[in-house]
Amino acid sequence: MSDFLLEPDVIFLNHGSFGACPRPVFEEYQRWQTRLERQPVRFLARELPEVLANARSEVAHYLGAQPTEVVFVPNPTFAANTIARCLPLGPGEEVLMTDHEYGACRFAFQFAAQQKGFRVVEQPIRLPVESNDSIVEAFWQGVTPNTKLIFISQITSATALTLPVAQICARAREAGILTMIDGAHAPGQIDVNLAEIGADFYTATCHKWMCAPKGSGIFHVREDRQHLIEPLVVGWGWGKEKTFHRENEFLEYHEWLGTHDPSAFLTVPTAIAWQREQMTLEVRQRARDLVRTAVDSASQIDGIERVHADPFFCQMGLIDLTALQIEPDALKSRLYDTYKIEAPVIRWQERTFVRISAHAYTTQQHIESLILALREIAG
Ligand SMILES: Cc1ncc(COP(=O)(O)O)c(C=O)c1O
């Protein structure tokens, strides 16, 4: 698909790590940057509040949320740090997560746990999973009377697994446990409706599957939970002399982080429009079919196995190369240096996976090249 700026000689099967920005979206991003630089003070001090409010309102609508409950943040790592470090959590309390969580977010909680004295509990979810109910049951084994917060991915990074987060949030609510959902991989890959998920806190990237420019993420906090979290970065948003003269303390606290380039945030509405126009159900289904073909074909190769059944993956899939006993860095280099295939090689619980992503620009030819490469690598 010519809309993307990706180098044509690379077989790019790693949309999952950082996304990729289509040309019309990237051009809009550059227009915002130019507008800023032509009169920085007018733009940042006078025009920004209104255009940012519009962008926030559009992303909130896209995600089924209220504009007063969403702030733009650079990324989910930032939002996870806000919750880990600024939510009152202390000795005797536990944060429960799965053993599939993203490293940087896990570290944010482990770091805060060392500082504040709470405990991080990682509950195993064994692969392959069988059903949503069995995932919820396995996860719930980790709940104790001390569980104060659940932190869980909507789609996991290392294992490309879609977790039943609405079910978990509903059960947590009944038990009086707060929930934070890490939706880094969700919007743009699957339909997201935050009202239906019902989490207390939710974060996502706009730069991965929504295809917005890098450094655009959202942090959603239900209105009745906003009083619980202090700002991670204290600046103008906290004091009495407000920069943006806004009424809403939540927006003040969490969105103005000091001088920065908000162009990526302001481009999110264009990315949403692009998604609506280009990423139709057919295009998304085609991408999912390519992932399924890749996983099915790879698992025919001796020494390579499939990890999940279809319903648990979307535009990312997992291929298990553990039995080949290849050192992950060597495998990664071989894929890229010999075959020009960009795909992450992931070590998870003593296993070695290749994670593949498919998007509008992915072709059958790309998948065939991957399978050919895996056949040669498997010997
Ligand atoms: C599940 C998950 N959570 C969080 C993140 C962090 O994203 P960022 O680096 O944009 O903060 C990632 C990044 O790949 C991820 O896969």
Side-chain angles (χ1 to χ4, degrees):
M1 194 193 199
S2 59
D3 253 6
F4 285 83
L5 295 152
L6 294 164
E7 291 175 5
D9 62 331
V10 173
I11 297 170
F12 193 75
L13 299 177
N14 189 7
H15 196 93
S17 281
F18 306 113
C21 197
R23 194 182 300 273
V25 178
F26 194 71
E27 284 171 356
E28 177 68 2
Y29 173 52
Q30 291 178 313
R31 276 193 286 274
W32 281 115
Q33 291 185 311
T34 306
R35 183 169 155 187
L36 187 164
E37 285 308 333
R38 285 167 63 87
Q39 220 292 33
V41 175
R42 184 180 66 206
F43 186 75
L44 289 174
R46 300 200 284 277
E47 296 175 347
L48 183 59
E50 189 181 335
V51 288
L52 195 58
N54 288 342
R56 188 189 308 109
S57 179
E58 291 226 18
V59 76
H61 181 68
Y62 178 71
L63 298 172
Q66 296 301 321
T68 47
E69 296 183 330
V70 176
V71 281
F72 283 110
V73 290
N75 49 53
T77 304
F78 187 96
N81 269 273
T82 305
I83 292 298
R85 304 181 73 175
C86 305
L87 186 73
L89 290 164
E93 295 182 320
E94 291 171 358
V95 173
L96 176 65
M97 54 180 71
T98 71
D99 60 345
H100 296 241
E101 300 312 323
Y102 185 71
C105 298
R106 220 175 56 231
F107 289 161
F109 280 98
Q110 287 169 350
F111 177 88
Q114 281 181 14
Q115 309 269 310
K116 303 191 336 182
F118 65 86
R119 212 162 80 84
V120 175
V121 178
E122 286 186 34
Q123 181 64 16
I125 308 282
R126 306 221 184 280
L127 299 179
V129 289
E130 279 162 19
S131 66
N132 282 338
D133 287 348
S134 68
I135 294 172
V136 176
E137 284 317 312
F139 183 61
W140 214 257
Q141 302 295 311
V143 170
T144 76
N146 300 327
T147 308
K148 176 87 188 280
L149 173 76
I150 283 172
F151 174 78
I152 190 166
S153 294
Q154 192 169 4
I155 299 178
T156 62
S157 172
T159 51
L161 179 62
T162 305
L163 296 172
V165 291
Q167 245 173 288
I168 288 169
C169 289
R171 192 154 169 185
R173 185 162 295 266
E174 273 173 28
I177 300 167
L178 292 169
T179 45
M180 174 164 190
I181 304 303
D182 175 357
H185 286 282
Q189 186 174 180
I190 57 175
D191 292 334
V192 171
N193 185 309
L194 294 184
E196 282 170 16
I197 292 171
D200 296 293
F201 313 108
Y202 183 98
T203 184
T205 55
C206 303
H207 53 246
K208 286 189 198 283
W209 297 92
M210 285 172 68
C211 299
K214 310 290 172 277
S216 53
I218 61 101
F219 179 36
H220 175 263
V221 180
R222 282 171 50 122
E223 199 139 349
D224 57 349
R225 302 297 188 213
Q226 291 176 356
H227 67 282
L228 292 177
I229 38 170
E230 295 173 351
L232 180 65
V233 175
V234 175
W236 280 109
W238 178 80
K240 292 263 179 295
E241 310 141 56
K242 305 292 190 196
T243 35
F244 279 13
H245 308 291
R246 290 182 304 211
E247 296 297 305
N248 187 316
E249 191 168 80
F250 170 66
L251 302 182
E252 292 279 6
Y253 270 22
H254 299 285
E255 202 165 62
W256 187 249
L257 314 173
T259 308
H260 62 108
D261 179 355
S263 301
F265 300 165
L266 298 170
T267 309
V268 168
T270 305
I272 292 172
W274 185 88
Q275 287 282 329
R276 289 202 170 112
E277 217 169 275
Q278 302 293 331
M279 294 307 290
T280 57
L281 276 181
E282 287 84 359
V283 175
R284 285 206 251 167
Q285 188 56 49
R286 194 185 137 276
R288 287 180 182 208
D289 290 346
L290 287 172
V291 170
R292 183 180 316 124
T293 306
V295 171
D296 287 349
S297 311
S299 56
Q300 308 291 314
I301 301 169
D302 270 354
I304 298 184
E305 288 172 30
R306 60 183 303 135
V307 183
H308 310 306
D310 284 357
F312 295 103
F313 60 71
C314 300
Q315 282 173 238
M316 289 198 298
L318 217 54
I319 298 170
D320 187 347
L321 280 77
T322 313
L324 297 177
Q325 297 191 326
I326 306 172
E327 202 270 315
D329 283 346
L331 178 56
K332 170 99 194 101
S333 308
R334 184 133 180 234
L335 280 172
Y336 195 74
D337 299 343
T338 311
Y339 303 102
K340 281 277 191 184
I341 293 174
E342 185 65 73
V345 175
I346 294 167
R347 274 301 274 175
W348 182 84
Q349 311 289 3
E350 315 281 306
R351 292 167 75 175
T352 304
F353 302 137
V354 171
R355 189 188 72 191
I356 52 158
S357 299
H359 206 276
Y361 52 78
T362 313
T363 64
Q364 182 71 31
Q365 182 67 48
H366 290 157
I367 302 303
E368 283 166 18
S369 303
L370 169 76
I371 298 303
L372 218 70
L374 291 176
R375 265 205 201 104
E376 284 187 15
I377 290 169

